[in-house]
Amino acid sequence: MKIVFIGAGAIGGYYGGQLAKAGHDITYVVRPATRKVIDEEGLTLISPEGTENITNVSTVGSLDEVDSADLVISAIKIFGEPELPENLPAGAKFMTTENSVEYPMLAQEKYGADKVIPAVVRAFIHREGPATAHFMGGGMSLTFGSLDPATESVVQEFFEALEPTPIKAKIHPDILRDVWMKAMLVTCFGALGAVMEEPIGVLRTTYRETLQALMTEAANVARSAGIQMKDDAVDIVLSFTDAQPGGGTASMQRDILDGLHSELDSQVGGIVRCAKKYNTSAPLHQLAWETLAVKSNKLRGQK
């Protein structure tokens, strides 16, 4: 397959590198500094098994430089409200992987359901410098699915492309539901973790009722948006939360507390905007968004 990754950070770098190893034509849309590293040194992939260098990838500075592709995979952190590429290469479908419930919906509005393939990443991978991605071990998966029959052939082709890689691929029959299920975990515990400055082990015990209330609110917003959430969605996510290492933190939480730009607006703000769009409310997320915006600005000002 001819696949273009927007971004060569943790997910773009590691997942794209694995697909390049499997023989696929991988191009990265990256900033000049990262482009220089990839062009001169390739990608560096680190895992518990060791370190490897991937050189059979190419780079461009803009998506407009790509004439055609099978799939464009957006693998970026969204700071502020989401922005989408103005145009897609000829023949390309667009895959979203971000921790944002808004992004696949906005992509569908811009390009049409016949061109959008939402996806959910589940893996502990850190960016450790330009074109360097570190897989920390454990599971590594990519769940994706069609919103329209027009994408089904590409979904199947991509599923088969992933088979020889260590990435566990799954085609989900209701992919937007899975997007929201992940948000109920990472957005809710990330927001509460940043407010309380505590890891997941403390949140799921000392602040369990608040965590559950945030998850319930997110599930209700999803239902207002027409997502078919299961009745026991909150229980499922809480059970998954209980199974995680107690010291775990979310990347949004870490970025906020480190005084860095974060995905606060795209994750928490995205749920609030969806609530308003579909004529419901999300007061807990609104409060977390406003509180953390102030906190984030103060911490960034101290750096």
Side-chain angles (χ1 to χ4, degrees), residues 224-246:
S224 297
I227 309 300
Q228 301 299 309
M229 304 297 287
K230 294 182 177 179
D231 292 340
D232 60 349
V234 174
D235 292 337
I236 291 171
V237 178
L238 275 174
S239 294
F240 186 80
T241 304
D242 290 337
Q244 303 311 301

PDB file of all heavy atoms in Angstrom, residues 224-246:
ATOM      1  N   SER A 224     -26.098  11.382  22.875  1.00  0.00           N
ATOM      2  CA  SER A 224     -26.755  12.549  22.271  1.00  0.00           C
ATOM      3  C   SER A 224     -26.288  12.767  20.841  1.00  0.00           C
ATOM      4  O   SER A 224     -27.034  13.276  20.003  1.00  0.00           O
ATOM      5  CB  SER A 224     -26.469  13.799  23.107  1.00  0.00           C
ATOM      6  OG  SER A 224     -27.016  13.679  24.403  1.00  0.00           O
ATOM      7  N   ALA A 225     -25.029  12.366  20.575  1.00  0.00           N
ATOM      8  CA  ALA A 225     -24.471  12.500  19.222  1.00  0.00           C
ATOM      9  C   ALA A 225     -24.878  11.353  18.309  1.00  0.00           C
ATOM     10  O   ALA A 225     -24.429  11.286  17.154  1.00  0.00           O
ATOM     11  CB  ALA A 225     -22.951  12.587  19.300  1.00  0.00           C
ATOM     12  N   GLY A 226     -25.686  10.431  18.820  1.00  0.00           N
ATOM     13  CA  GLY A 226     -26.171   9.320  18.000  1.00  0.00           C
ATOM     14  C   GLY A 226     -25.300   8.091  18.042  1.00  0.00           C
ATOM     15  O   GLY A 226     -25.509   7.152  17.263  1.00  0.00           O
ATOM     16  N   ILE A 227     -24.322   8.045  18.952  1.00  0.00           N
ATOM     17  CA  ILE A 227     -23.453   6.877  19.086  1.00  0.00           C
ATOM     18  C   ILE A 227     -24.173   5.827  19.927  1.00  0.00           C
ATOM     19  O   ILE A 227     -24.705   6.130  20.999  1.00  0.00           O
ATOM     20  CB  ILE A 227     -22.109   7.255  19.739  1.00  0.00           C
ATOM     21  CG1 ILE A 227     -21.475   8.446  19.015  1.00  0.00           C
ATOM     22  CG2 ILE A 227     -21.170   6.060  19.750  1.00  0.00           C
ATOM     23  CD1 ILE A 227     -21.172   8.236  17.567  1.00  0.00           C
ATOM     24  N   GLN A 228     -24.149   4.591  19.465  1.00  0.00           N
ATOM     25  CA  GLN A 228     -24.858   3.513  20.152  1.00  0.00           C
ATOM     26  C   GLN A 228     -23.990   2.937  21.275  1.00  0.00           C
ATOM     27  O   GLN A 228     -23.407   1.867  21.148  1.00  0.00           O
ATOM     28  CB  GLN A 228     -25.256   2.419  19.149  1.00  0.00           C
ATOM     29  CG  GLN A 228     -26.156   2.894  18.021  1.00  0.00           C
ATOM     30  CD  GLN A 228     -27.475   3.440  18.529  1.00  0.00           C
ATOM     31  OE1 GLN A 228     -28.168   2.797  19.313  1.00  0.00           O
ATOM     32  NE2 GLN A 228     -27.843   4.631  18.074  1.00  0.00           N
ATOM     33  N   MET A 229     -23.936   3.663  22.376  1.00  0.00           N
ATOM     34  CA  MET A 229     -23.147   3.198  23.520  1.00  0.00           C
ATOM     35  C   MET A 229     -23.900   2.100  24.265  1.00  0.00           C
ATOM     36  O   MET A 229     -25.117   2.181  24.452  1.00  0.00           O
ATOM     37  CB  MET A 229     -22.856   4.366  24.462  1.00  0.00           C
ATOM     38  CG  MET A 229     -22.161   5.549  23.804  1.00  0.00           C
ATOM     39  SD  MET A 229     -20.528   5.161  23.157  1.00  0.00           S
ATOM     40  CE  MET A 229     -19.593   5.013  24.681  1.00  0.00           C
ATOM     41  N   LYS A 230     -23.181   1.092  24.718  1.00  0.00           N
ATOM     42  CA  LYS A 230     -23.806   0.014  25.473  1.00  0.00           C
ATOM     43  C   LYS A 230     -24.218   0.517  26.858  1.00  0.00           C
ATOM     44  O   LYS A 230     -23.643   1.456  27.393  1.00  0.00           O
ATOM     45  CB  LYS A 230     -22.830  -1.159  25.611  1.00  0.00           C
ATOM     46  CG  LYS A 230     -22.500  -1.838  24.281  1.00  0.00           C
ATOM     47  CD  LYS A 230     -21.572  -3.014  24.498  1.00  0.00           C
ATOM     48  CE  LYS A 230     -21.287  -3.740  23.181  1.00  0.00           C
ATOM     49  NZ  LYS A 230     -20.370  -4.887  23.360  1.00  0.00           N
ATOM     50  N   ASP A 231     -25.214  -0.137  27.422  1.00  0.00           N
ATOM     51  CA  ASP A 231     -25.711   0.263  28.742  1.00  0.00           C
ATOM     52  C   ASP A 231     -24.619   0.148  29.811  1.00  0.00           C
ATOM     53  O   ASP A 231     -24.604   0.916  30.774  1.00  0.00           O
ATOM     54  CB  ASP A 231     -26.920  -0.582  29.150  1.00  0.00           C
ATOM     55  CG  ASP A 231     -28.142  -0.294  28.284  1.00  0.00           C
ATOM     56  OD1 ASP A 231     -28.181   0.780  27.646  1.00  0.00           O
ATOM     57  OD2 ASP A 231     -29.049  -1.140  28.247  1.00  0.00           O
ATOM     58  N   ASP A 232     -23.728  -0.827  29.643  1.00  0.00           N
ATOM     59  CA  ASP A 232     -22.680  -1.050  30.645  1.00  0.00           C
ATOM     60  C   ASP A 232     -21.340  -0.455  30.218  1.00  0.00           C
ATOM     61  O   ASP A 232     -20.283  -0.889  30.688  1.00  0.00           O
ATOM     62  CB  ASP A 232     -22.512  -2.545  30.918  1.00  0.00           C
ATOM     63  CG  ASP A 232     -22.123  -3.352  29.678  1.00  0.00           C
ATOM     64  OD1 ASP A 232     -22.182  -2.796  28.561  1.00  0.00           O
ATOM     65  OD2 ASP A 232     -21.762  -4.532  29.837  1.00  0.00           O
ATOM     66  N   ALA A 233     -21.372   0.571  29.353  1.00  0.00           N
ATOM     67  CA  ALA A 233     -20.132   1.161  28.837  1.00  0.00           C
ATOM     68  C   ALA A 233     -19.245   1.674  29.962  1.00  0.00           C
ATOM     69  O   ALA A 233     -18.025   1.464  29.958  1.00  0.00           O
ATOM     70  CB  ALA A 233     -20.458   2.291  27.862  1.00  0.00           C
ATOM     71  N   VAL A 234     -19.829   2.349  30.940  1.00  0.00           N
ATOM     72  CA  VAL A 234     -19.033   2.902  32.039  1.00  0.00           C
ATOM     73  C   VAL A 234     -18.409   1.784  32.866  1.00  0.00           C
ATOM     74  O   VAL A 234     -17.228   1.856  33.244  1.00  0.00           O
ATOM     75  CB  VAL A 234     -19.893   3.821  32.918  1.00  0.00           C
ATOM     76  CG1 VAL A 234     -19.110   4.278  34.155  1.00  0.00           C
ATOM     77  CG2 VAL A 234     -20.362   5.029  32.118  1.00  0.00           C
ATOM     78  N   ASP A 235     -19.170   0.733  33.127  1.00  0.00           N
ATOM     79  CA  ASP A 235     -18.633  -0.396  33.893  1.00  0.00           C
ATOM     80  C   ASP A 235     -17.465  -1.053  33.159  1.00  0.00           C
ATOM     81  O   ASP A 235     -16.471  -1.453  33.783  1.00  0.00           O
ATOM     82  CB  ASP A 235     -19.727  -1.438  34.145  1.00  0.00           C
ATOM     83  CG  ASP A 235     -20.804  -0.931  35.103  1.00  0.00           C
ATOM     84  OD1 ASP A 235     -20.502  -0.012  35.891  1.00  0.00           O
ATOM     85  OD2 ASP A 235     -21.936  -1.452  35.041  1.00  0.00           O
ATOM     86  N   ILE A 236     -17.582  -1.151  31.840  1.00  0.00           N
ATOM     87  CA  ILE A 236     -16.508  -1.755  31.043  1.00  0.00           C
ATOM     88  C   ILE A 236     -15.233  -0.927  31.156  1.00  0.00           C
ATOM     89  O   ILE A 236     -14.135  -1.460  31.377  1.00  0.00           O
ATOM     90  CB  ILE A 236     -16.940  -1.883  29.569  1.00  0.00           C
ATOM     91  CG1 ILE A 236     -18.048  -2.930  29.421  1.00  0.00           C
ATOM     92  CG2 ILE A 236     -15.748  -2.249  28.682  1.00  0.00           C
ATOM     93  CD1 ILE A 236     -18.681  -2.957  28.038  1.00  0.00           C
ATOM     94  N   VAL A 237     -15.377   0.388  31.017  1.00  0.00           N
ATOM     95  CA  VAL A 237     -14.198   1.255  31.070  1.00  0.00           C
ATOM     96  C   VAL A 237     -13.608   1.290  32.475  1.00  0.00           C
ATOM     97  O   VAL A 237     -12.381   1.283  32.643  1.00  0.00           O
ATOM     98  CB  VAL A 237     -14.545   2.676  30.584  1.00  0.00           C
ATOM     99  CG1 VAL A 237     -13.327   3.596  30.697  1.00  0.00           C
ATOM    100  CG2 VAL A 237     -15.027   2.636  29.133  1.00  0.00           C
ATOM    101  N   LEU A 238     -14.439   1.297  33.489  1.00  0.00           N
ATOM    102  CA  LEU A 238     -13.930   1.258  34.863  1.00  0.00           C
ATOM    103  C   LEU A 238     -13.170  -0.041  35.138  1.00  0.00           C
ATOM    104  O   LEU A 238     -12.126  -0.029  35.815  1.00  0.00           O
ATOM    105  CB  LEU A 238     -15.073   1.410  35.862  1.00  0.00           C
ATOM    106  CG  LEU A 238     -15.505   2.833  36.193  1.00  0.00           C
ATOM    107  CD1 LEU A 238     -16.749   2.816  37.080  1.00  0.00           C
ATOM    108  CD2 LEU A 238     -14.388   3.619  36.874  1.00  0.00           C
ATOM    109  N   SER A 239     -13.671  -1.141  34.621  1.00  0.00           N
ATOM    110  CA  SER A 239     -12.978  -2.424  34.805  1.00  0.00           C
ATOM    111  C   SER A 239     -11.610  -2.395  34.133  1.00  0.00           C
ATOM    112  O   SER A 239     -10.623  -2.904  34.686  1.00  0.00           O
ATOM    113  CB  SER A 239     -13.823  -3.569  34.225  1.00  0.00           C
ATOM    114  OG  SER A 239     -15.014  -3.725  34.947  1.00  0.00           O
ATOM    115  N   PHE A 240     -11.540  -1.781  32.944  1.00  0.00           N
ATOM    116  CA  PHE A 240     -10.258  -1.648  32.257  1.00  0.00           C
ATOM    117  C   PHE A 240      -9.324  -0.739  33.065  1.00  0.00           C
ATOM    118  O   PHE A 240      -8.126  -1.011  33.195  1.00  0.00           O
ATOM    119  CB  PHE A 240     -10.469  -1.079  30.860  1.00  0.00           C
ATOM    120  CG  PHE A 240      -9.221  -1.038  30.025  1.00  0.00           C
ATOM    121  CD1 PHE A 240      -8.756  -2.168  29.378  1.00  0.00           C
ATOM    122  CD2 PHE A 240      -8.496   0.136  29.898  1.00  0.00           C
ATOM    123  CE1 PHE A 240      -7.597  -2.139  28.618  1.00  0.00           C
ATOM    124  CE2 PHE A 240      -7.334   0.184  29.139  1.00  0.00           C
ATOM    125  CZ  PHE A 240      -6.879  -0.960  28.495  1.00  0.00           C
ATOM    126  N   THR A 241      -9.884   0.334  33.629  1.00  0.00           N
ATOM    127  CA  THR A 241      -9.103   1.239  34.473  1.00  0.00           C
ATOM    128  C   THR A 241      -8.521   0.497  35.675  1.00  0.00           C
ATOM    129  O   THR A 241      -7.357   0.692  36.035  1.00  0.00           O
ATOM    130  CB  THR A 241      -9.995   2.405  34.963  1.00  0.00           C
ATOM    131  OG1 THR A 241     -10.556   3.068  33.835  1.00  0.00           O
ATOM    132  CG2 THR A 241      -9.198   3.401  35.795  1.00  0.00           C
ATOM    133  N   ASP A 242      -9.315  -0.367  36.281  1.00  0.00           N
ATOM    134  CA  ASP A 242      -8.863  -1.115  37.453  1.00  0.00           C
ATOM    135  C   ASP A 242      -7.715  -2.071  37.125  1.00  0.00           C
ATOM    136  O   ASP A 242      -6.944  -2.439  38.016  1.00  0.00           O
ATOM    137  CB  ASP A 242     -10.028  -1.915  38.043  1.00  0.00           C
ATOM    138  CG  ASP A 242     -11.076  -1.020  38.703  1.00  0.00           C
ATOM    139  OD1 ASP A 242     -10.720   0.108  39.090  1.00  0.00           O
ATOM    140  OD2 ASP A 242     -12.236  -1.457  38.806  1.00  0.00           O
ATOM    141  N   ALA A 243      -7.604  -2.452  35.852  1.00  0.00           N
ATOM    142  CA  ALA A 243      -6.566  -3.413  35.458  1.00  0.00           C
ATOM    143  C   ALA A 243      -5.236  -2.760  35.100  1.00  0.00           C
ATOM    144  O   ALA A 243      -4.240  -3.455  34.871  1.00  0.00           O
ATOM    145  CB  ALA A 243      -7.063  -4.237  34.266  1.00  0.00           C
ATOM    146  N   GLN A 244      -5.198  -1.419  35.070  1.00  0.00           N
ATOM    147  CA  GLN A 244      -3.979  -0.721  34.670  1.00  0.00           C
ATOM    148  C   GLN A 244      -3.008  -0.579  35.843  1.00  0.00           C
ATOM    149  O   GLN A 244      -3.417  -0.565  37.002  1.00  0.00           O
ATOM    150  CB  GLN A 244      -4.323   0.664  34.119  1.00  0.00           C
ATOM    151  CG  GLN A 244      -5.285   0.650  32.943  1.00  0.00           C
ATOM    152  CD  GLN A 244      -4.876  -0.322  31.865  1.00  0.00           C
ATOM    153  OE1 GLN A 244      -3.781  -0.217  31.311  1.00  0.00           O
ATOM    154  NE2 GLN A 244      -5.743  -1.273  31.571  1.00  0.00           N
ATOM    155  N   PRO A 245      -1.699  -0.464  35.534  1.00  0.00           N
ATOM    156  CA  PRO A 245      -0.719  -0.225  36.601  1.00  0.00           C
ATOM    157  C   PRO A 245      -1.074   1.047  37.373  1.00  0.00           C
ATOM    158  O   PRO A 245      -1.430   2.069  36.775  1.00  0.00           O
ATOM    159  CB  PRO A 245       0.601  -0.062  35.837  1.00  0.00           C
ATOM    160  CG  PRO A 245       0.396  -0.791  34.547  1.00  0.00           C
ATOM    161  CD  PRO A 245      -1.060  -0.609  34.204  1.00  0.00           C
ATOM    162  N   GLY A 246      -0.993   0.996  38.685  1.00  0.00           N
ATOM    163  CA  GLY A 246      -1.447   2.097  39.526  1.00  0.00           C
ATOM    164  C   GLY A 246      -0.711   3.398  39.324  1.00  0.00           C
ATOM    165  O   GLY A 246      -1.250   4.471  39.619  1.00  0.00           O
TER     166      GLY A 246
END
